[in-house]
Amino acid sequence: MSPFWFGIIESIKDPLEEGRVAVRVFGDHSKNLSELPISKLPWAYTLSDSSMLSGIGKSTNRYVNGTMVFGVYIDGDSKQSPFVLGAVGSK
């Protein structure tokens, strides 16, 4: 099974303010909000174009809610740690 996935960003309001996004992965997470509310989605780290080492730099989130993204699970078949590699273009 491939560790790669496509999904939709449901929230950019990371409670830890680390630039993470809550992502609903197609095929892994129900579209039904009553079955899987946004608050229960996993938080995904994203690739960044700036340094965030030891407080140097600032984590800025360039995504908005509703962005389709492509990523990989960094924990393999457990599928609990998604990582966003980039956005998928759309009109």
Side-chain angles (χ1 to χ4, degrees):
M1 181 169 263
S2 174
F4 297 101
W5 50 262
F6 286 93
I8 295 288
I9 292 177
E10 296 278 6
S11 178
I12 61 171
K13 294 184 180 185
D14 179 3
L16 299 181
E17 297 182 355
E18 294 179 337
R20 301 175 304 165
V21 296
V23 63
R24 189 174 303 272
V25 175
F26 301 146
D28 290 337
H29 300 134
S30 171
K31 294 180 192 178
N32 186 327
L33 291 176
S34 61
E35 285 181 23
L36 183 60
I38 293 170
S39 63
K40 299 295 184 187
L41 290 172
W43 287 95
Y45 285 97
T46 65
L47 285 180
S48 174
D49 56 1
S50 66
S51 172
M52 294 181 284
L53 180 64
S54 301
I56 300 170
K58 179 76 174 145
S59 174
T60 57
N61 193 332
R62 64 184 183 270
Y63 298 109
V64 296
N65 291 344
T67 303
M68 184 185 297
V69 291
F70 173 73
V72 63
Y73 286 112
I74 58 176
D75 60 348
D77 289 339
S78 296
K79 297 183 177 185
Q80 300 301 305
S81 298
F83 189 92
V84 174
L85 298 173
V88 178
S90 65
K91 287 186 170 186

